[in-house]
Amino acid sequence: MMPKSPRIWQLAERRYRLLGSKCVLCGKTSVGPRSICPACGSDKVETVQLPSTGTIYSYTVVHSLPAEKNGYGPYIMAIVALEDGTKLTAEIVDCDPEDVKIGMPVELAFRLIGQESEHGIIYYGYKFRPIIPRT
Amino acid sequence: MREIAVVGVGMTKFGERWDKQLRDLFVEAANEALKDANMERNEIQALYVGNFSAGSFVGQEHVGPLLADYLSLKYKPAFRVESACASSGMAFNLACMAIASGMYDIVMVGGVEKMTDISAPEVTSVHAKAMDAEWESFFGLTLPAAFALIARRHFVQYGTKPEQLAMVSVKNHRNATKNPLAQFQFEVTVERVLTSPIVSDPLHVLDCSPVTDGAAAVILCSAELAKKYTDTPVYVLGFGTASDTIALHDRSDITTLGAVVEASRQAYKMAGIEPKNIDVAELHDSFTITEIISYEDLGFCEKGKGGLMIQEGETEIGGRISVNPSGGLKARGNPIGATGVAQVVEIVQQLRGAAGKRQVSGAEIGMTQNIGGTGSTCVIHIFGRQRR
Amino acid sequence: MTVFGDKKTVIVGYGSYIPRYRIKIESIAHAWGESLDTLRGLRVQEISVKGPDEDQVTIAVEAARNALRRAPEVSPKDIGAIYSGSESKPYAVKPTSTIVAAAIGASMSVRLADYEFACKGGTEAIISCISQARSGMIKYGLAIAADCSQSLPGDVLEYTASAGGSAFVIGHDSGDPIAYFEGQYSVGTDTPDFWRRDLIKYPRHGGRFTGEPAYFRHVIAAATGLMKELDMKPEDFDYIVPHQPNGSFPIEVAKRLGFSESKVLPGLLSPIVGNFYSGSSPTGLCKVLDQAKPGQRILLVSFGSGAGSDAFSIVVAEGIERKRGLAPKVEDYINRKKYVDYSLYAKFWGKIAR
């Protein structure tokens, strides 16, 4: 079978760096590449750096795992609202299920998302974690 | 636009059908529908079939001609429609338009899914393909997890309680005990739902529709031809379809499904009715939260009052609006691609007065509401015993 | 070997990363039925454990991002080279440095390579950045020293091998320096004290043979050689940061070199987070930078089995005060911890799989 490399490569940098799309006309932002603004239909959409911090808009602890996550769970999935209002779906790591809350501040983390197989390519990308306390 | 009637319905037993293949299930349901309509198979002019992911479940694509072939509909056009869990609702909608336009006079609409050939984690992965593969499921979101995100927001914004979600399961399981074709013909209690294993917090196993093998089929014709086949035709009074963002996170408020609001607005307008006119509805309770949100988005109750509506028993059989007398996706079963047509089968039986122990007495107007993915597709049909 | 004679080759950013999970050595000893008495000599209490979704690449990227946070004057596009040193690359063939480059948004016009020399791949990456910056081949280089240190289940290495790493933005005559390099000295011999054969999952070692003929001989030779070249004595240094395979070797080697314990303790991480292999002494350096004052002098000495050592004399500059707070400190990562038992440790490491 053809490895998934092309599909992963197409989006890798956006997932690594949390790049998003922003409409030049109406300012609507979204994660993932778009050539047409989903809000106003303008074709003036540019790639922008999205903020690396936000808060949890909603979350769930996934116990019933998809095949790709065999043995990994339970894990926390959330919709994160970034500082600029952009929402995205991400795993919350370095956080115990009993500690996650709506409104909790989180920051960008770079993590392994999965792999094609033991022999195949490895997928990396964004997850979010509670902000590391600083002294 | 020509009016449309349903003149034949058929459905397999839903559940774990270990000995049946995809094509066997479909043929079983299709034969039932033909028999119900007193119709010869060569009278069928076209086949519309809803199927979500035979490619993933059984390694088969191109299921339109496969099913036409096995039903011996030689050279007849066969359309396969895919809209995730709304596949056969959408197939039904396209078939309605084919009749309404005058293109065909008689068509069959089927839906089928064979899900038990693969493991539960694999099914979870296939379900997840109904969402945004690159920006949701890639990161680990599952379909139950997405509805769990919705449920948690609903809890926070409207004070809905896990107990109220559980009541949806309790009602639908109770109804399914009166449906001999239902997958789960046993009752559950709120306590049992809330102590069942967690799938994706706050949703428990008994908040989620199951993995199901099954098929359903119906036969549509122009209203003028209906009486030739049956004394009790059921008429399509209106319909609406709408789409929404593929990713849940791209919606400003995830506690309302915009496609449901829009599709129902179209359907009510076309049928010339209001929500209060609905006697019986088969709603898309893929998860218990989905039924509660649907009450609100369909205008059965105010936004945020869905939990109260189930709690007060308004959607029990014989309540203000009887919802999911078949047992719904939750207890009748949810063979993804077959679900939309299975809803139609139930509403037709209800409006014929042929629903047996689960009959909603005096049902005149019924609704089916079929949702795909996290609400990225919604298709709604309104049916009546009388023509418009 | 090299005395720079100027203060121009500089660190303009540094950053570290340590995973959140820890295991106490009691938990490992319990799993294998080892007596804690026999382990006391290691002077290690607990070690970091990589999360189930962490590897050498993710640690490298997190450390690199922290280093860049402390170098706000450096655009990722100005980085001419990214070198990553490690002995635990998730790909045997395919560079880590390419992934780091994409993750930080480096330009396509960039020199990328991975280094391996057991635990001193990281300091080799630093040397490459120093030399290319000094020669004018690059404006800035990013040197990364990180590992998810492998250890055979049940082996004594399990009590020390851990996960973490650091990164450094290095330039010449540019930026707002945190520190400058004063001199560098390396040694190497063919000493098979520790190795991992191709396609074999876990490294093997010569037990006590890793001590005198390997660690001590090379670290002492490199440190002594550098001090001689610079015409300096232990008294001229405020800190010494040797490679930290356990909690006792660094203290012992510092003592033999004539350094007081107080000069080695500030950069000593192994007793509380273990051995990051390539990331070990570089992260010790970061911990020292987190607290050092401008003008203070640091002796950094890595050790890579096989075997060799790279020694550096580094003097802290004014920029440290402005930049220290721009990213989490090593201490912040040390304080962020959650203990796991041996079963979770083994699962996270892939030592058991289903």
Side-chain angles (χ1 to χ4, degrees):
Chain A
M1 210 158 78
M2 172 76 180
K4 287 185 184 159
S5 334
R7 238 185 81 200
I8 294 303
W9 170 77
Q10 289 150 15
L11 299 172
E13 198 161 337
R14 302 185 74 105
R15 287 176 177 150
Y16 291 178
R17 289 169 58 200
L18 194 52
L19 301 178
S21 302
K22 183 172 188 175
C23 177
V24 174
L25 295 188
C26 78
K28 167 80 178 175
T29 54
S30 50
V31 74
R34 286 182 185 261
S35 54
I36 301 169
C37 173
C40 76
S42 145
D43 60 1
K44 305 263 184 303
V45 180
E46 57 186 17
T47 299
V48 294
Q49 175 68 60
L50 295 174
S52 60
T53 55
T55 55
I56 291 182
Y57 169 79
S58 191
Y59 69 91
T60 178
V61 183
V62 183
H63 289 259
S64 194
L65 311 184
E68 306 78 52
K69 299 282 184 188
N70 185 9
Y72 180 74
Y75 60 90
I76 305 167
M77 287 303 299
I79 293 178
V80 174
L82 301 178
E83 298 283 297
D84 66 351
T86 312
K87 289 203 300 251
L88 53 80
T89 299
E91 188 185 333
I92 306 299
V93 292
D94 293 346
C95 179
D96 296 332
E98 54 273 24
D99 294 335
V100 62
K101 297 274 180 299
I102 285 180
M104 186 172 92
V106 288
E107 65 183 20
L108 179 67
F110 184 86
R111 294 294 177 112
L112 213 148
I113 309 283
Q115 62 177 11
E116 197 174 4
S117 71
E118 286 281 309
H119 309 278
I121 58 162
I122 302 169
Y123 317 148
Y124 296 98
Y126 56 76
K127 296 187 179 182
F128 282 77
R129 65 175 165 237
I131 289 167
I132 295 172
R134 301 228 206 139
T135 49
Chain B
M1 204 169 106
R2 297 203 299 176
E3 289 186 52
I4 306 140
V6 184
V7 294
V9 299
M11 187 175 126
T12 66
K13 169 81 174 68
F14 277 11
E16 294 175 321
R17 302 290 305 269
W18 300 114
D19 58 335
K20 297 290 183 190
Q21 291 213 311
L22 179 90
R23 61 190 77 182
D24 304 329
L25 291 165
F26 171 75
V27 169
E28 188 182 321
N31 276 335
E32 284 281 326
L34 285 165
K35 201 170 109 193
D36 186 52
N38 298 305
M39 191 180 281
E40 296 299 321
R41 67 188 72 245
N42 61 14
E43 291 181 75
I44 303 288
Q45 294 170 321
L47 173 66
Y48 287 78
V49 58
N51 175 260
F52 169 48
S53 203
S56 303
F57 288 123
V58 297
Q60 175 77 57
E61 304 293 8
H62 212 184
V63 298
L66 169 85
L67 301 177
D69 180 14
Y70 273 72
L71 196 60
S72 193
L73 299 178
K74 211 170 177 58
Y75 297 128
K76 297 290 168 61
F79 305 91
R80 179 252 181 108
V81 181
E82 189 276 303
S83 289
C85 303
S87 294
S88 60
M90 288 297 262
F92 186 86
N93 192 253
L94 293 176
C96 285
M97 288 193 266
I99 301 277
S101 71
M103 179 69 204
Y104 301 123
D105 294 320
I106 301 174
V107 301
M108 176 180 279
V109 187
V112 60
E113 209 77 55
K114 173 69 189 177
M115 300 173 70
T116 57
D117 285 0
I118 63 174
S119 71
E122 288 170 320
V123 170
T124 301
S125 299
V126 177
H127 269 138
K129 295 181 185 187
M131 305 185 295
D132 190 327
E134 303 292 13
W135 303 101
E136 289 184 316
S137 40
F138 177 83
F139 293 96
L141 193 69
T142 64
L143 198 60
F147 280 92
L149 294 172
I150 292 174
R152 191 172 312 277
R153 281 306 301 188
H154 208 273
F155 290 1
V156 168
Q157 287 176 223
Y158 301 110
T160 305
K161 304 253 181 312
E163 290 76 13
Q164 293 171 324
L165 265 56
M167 287 172 196
V168 172
S169 183
V170 170
K171 167 180 72 71
N172 293 350
H173 269 264
R174 187 187 309 123
N175 293 351
T177 62
K178 299 166 185 153
N179 182 354
L181 297 181
Q183 181 166 6
F184 296 141
Q185 298 176 39
F186 57 85
E187 295 202 31
V188 297
T189 59
V190 167
E191 193 198 351
R192 185 169 164 197
V193 175
L194 295 179
T195 54
S196 65
I198 292 172
V199 168
S200 199
D201 162 51
L203 300 180
H204 298 255
V205 166
L206 287 171
D207 284 299
C208 304
S209 58
V211 172
T212 310
D213 300 328
V218 297
I219 295 169
L220 305 189
C221 65
S222 66
E224 285 71 30
L225 292 177
K227 286 284 165 75
K228 183 180 158 193
Y229 298 100
T230 177
D231 295 334
T232 54
V234 168
Y235 299 97
V236 177
L237 305 184
F239 50 74
T241 57
S243 65
D244 199 351
T245 64
I246 189 72
L248 191 62
H249 58 232
D250 278 328
R251 300 180 202 158
S252 56
D253 179 1
I254 64 170
T255 62
T256 186
L257 300 180
V260 175
V261 174
E262 171 58 22
S264 63
R265 189 192 62 75
Q266 295 168 18
Y268 290 134
K269 189 179 170 202
M270 185 170 170
I273 63 160
E274 292 177 34
K276 66 173 196 285
N277 302 121
I278 306 281
D279 299 309
V280 55
E282 282 286 307
L283 303 189
H284 196 91
D285 59 326
S286 51
F287 303 94
T288 48
I289 183 65
T290 330
E291 182 167 319
I292 284 178
I293 286 191
S294 294
Y295 295 164
E296 301 167 2
D297 290 340
L298 292 167
F300 291 2
C301 66
E302 271 177 63
K303 189 73 216 164
K305 297 284 170 58
L308 216 54
M309 191 173 185
I310 182 76
Q311 192 177 330
E312 297 189 347
E314 294 187 64
T315 54
E316 297 283 349
I317 292 174
R320 183 159 66 82
I321 302 177
S322 305
V323 173
N324 287 328
S326 70
L329 280 63
K330 175 67 209 77
R332 180 193 58 225
N334 181 18
I336 309 173
T339 282
V341 170
Q343 292 178 322
V344 175
V345 170
E346 177 68 13
I347 291 301
V348 168
Q349 299 284 29
Q350 288 287 345
L351 298 187
R352 283 176 176 177
K357 289 182 187 166
R358 60 184 192 280
Q359 180 64 46
V360 175
S361 72
E364 288 287 332
I365 294 181
M367 168 190 270
T368 59
Q369 175 230 21
N370 199 193
I371 293 173
T374 55
S376 307
T377 292
C378 181
V379 52
I380 287 171
H381 290 88
I382 295 172
F383 301 84
R385 284 165 58 89
Q386 308 297 329
R387 290 176 70 165
R388 268 184 290 171
Chain C
M1 192 174 281
T2 306
V3 174
F4 297 136
D6 59 35
K7 301 178 177 181
K8 291 183 174 174
T9 303
V10 292
I11 296 174
V12 295
Y14 73 97
S16 302
Y17 179 82
I18 303 171
R20 175 193 187 219
Y21 298 102
R22 301 286 184 281
I23 187 166
K24 290 181 188 283
I25 67 155
E26 287 92 317
S27 302
I28 303 172
H30 177 75
W32 294 109
E34 288 282 348
S35 154
L36 281 174
D37 294 339
T38 59
L39 300 166
R40 200 156 287 139
L42 294 172
R43 295 178 73 164
V44 173
Q45 294 128 41
E46 59 194 52
I47 60 173
S48 67
V49 178
K50 80 180 191 72
D53 59 347
E54 294 184 293
D55 63 15
Q56 181 260 341
V57 170
T58 65
I59 291 171
V61 169
E62 292 279 357
R65 285 180 174 167
N66 280 336
L68 284 162
R69 283 188 183 104
R70 286 204 178 93
E73 72 274 31
V74 177
S75 157
K77 307 292 176 203
D78 290 334
I79 291 177
I82 300 173
Y83 297 120
S84 163
S86 159
E87 60 169 289
S88 58
K89 288 182 5 150
Y91 286 100
V93 177
K94 186 192 176 320
T96 291
S97 51
T98 55
I99 304 171
V100 175
I104 64 165
S107 154
M108 189 177 172
S109 299
V110 63
R111 202 170 286 118
L112 305 172
D114 287 4
Y115 285 89
E116 185 277 312
F117 190 145
C119 298
K120 85 170 185 77
T123 50
E124 290 171 54
I126 292 172
I127 292 167
S128 290
C129 288
I130 289 173
S131 46
Q132 292 184 16
R134 274 190 81 80
S135 69
M137 286 174 75
I138 55 173
K139 187 170 180 194
Y140 292 105
L142 176 62
I144 300 164
D147 259 310
C148 282
S149 312
Q150 295 132 330
S151 60
L152 181 71
D155 185 13
V156 66
L157 269 181
E158 269 201 324
Y159 298 95
T160 56
S162 63
S166 293
F168 304 88
V169 182
I170 292 166
H172 183 72
D173 208 9
S174 56
D176 180 12
I178 278 169
Y180 63 87
F181 291 98
E182 211 173 22
Q184 198 278 316
Y185 194 97
S186 292
V187 297
T189 68
D190 181 20
T191 308
D193 61 314
F194 172 111
W195 60 90
R196 179 165 65 85
R197 292 288 302 275
D198 194 20
L199 304 182
I200 300 298
K201 197 169 175 185
Y202 300 112
R204 306 295 168 122
H205 56 83
R208 289 184 59 77
F209 182 64
T210 59
E212 286 307 330
Y215 179 85
F216 290 101
R217 180 179 172 219
H218 293 86
V219 170
I220 288 168
T224 311
L226 180 62
M227 285 192 283
K228 195 177 165 204
E229 293 270 331
L230 289 168
D231 195 21
M232 287 183 189
K233 297 185 183 62
E235 298 75 57
D236 297 315
F237 291 87
D238 299 283
Y239 305 96
I240 177 169
V241 184
H243 175 56
Q244 306 173 17
N246 52 46
S248 64
F249 279 20
I251 291 171
E252 172 67 18
V253 85
K255 191 168 138 195
R256 291 198 205 175
L257 282 165
F259 287 78
S260 66
E261 202 168 292
S262 64
K263 291 185 179 178
V264 68
L265 289 179
L268 189 63
L269 291 165
S270 48
I272 42 173
V273 288
N275 178 4
F276 303 160
Y277 284 3
S278 300
S280 172
S281 55
T283 306
L285 170 64
C286 290
K287 184 158 180 290
V288 168
L289 290 173
D290 282 342
Q291 66 175 71
K293 294 182 180 63
Q296 289 191 316
R297 183 174 285 116
I298 305 161
L299 178 58
L300 170 71
V301 197
S302 68
F303 169 71
S305 289
S309 274
D310 301 323
F312 303 79
S313 176
I314 298 164
V315 180
V316 181
E318 299 290 334
I320 190 70
E321 309 286 8
R322 288 184 285 276
K323 290 178 158 182
R324 189 178 275 149
L326 299 178
K329 297 187 182 76
V330 174
E331 195 75 24
D332 298 330
Y333 285 107
I334 291 172
N335 293 338
R336 179 189 79 138
K337 62 181 172 184
K338 176 174 171 74
Y339 291 104
V340 294
D341 61 12
Y342 191 83
S343 60
L344 276 182
Y345 159 88
K347 188 176 97 163
F348 288 178
W349 270 103
K351 291 184 173 185
I352 49 170
R354 78 167 164 185

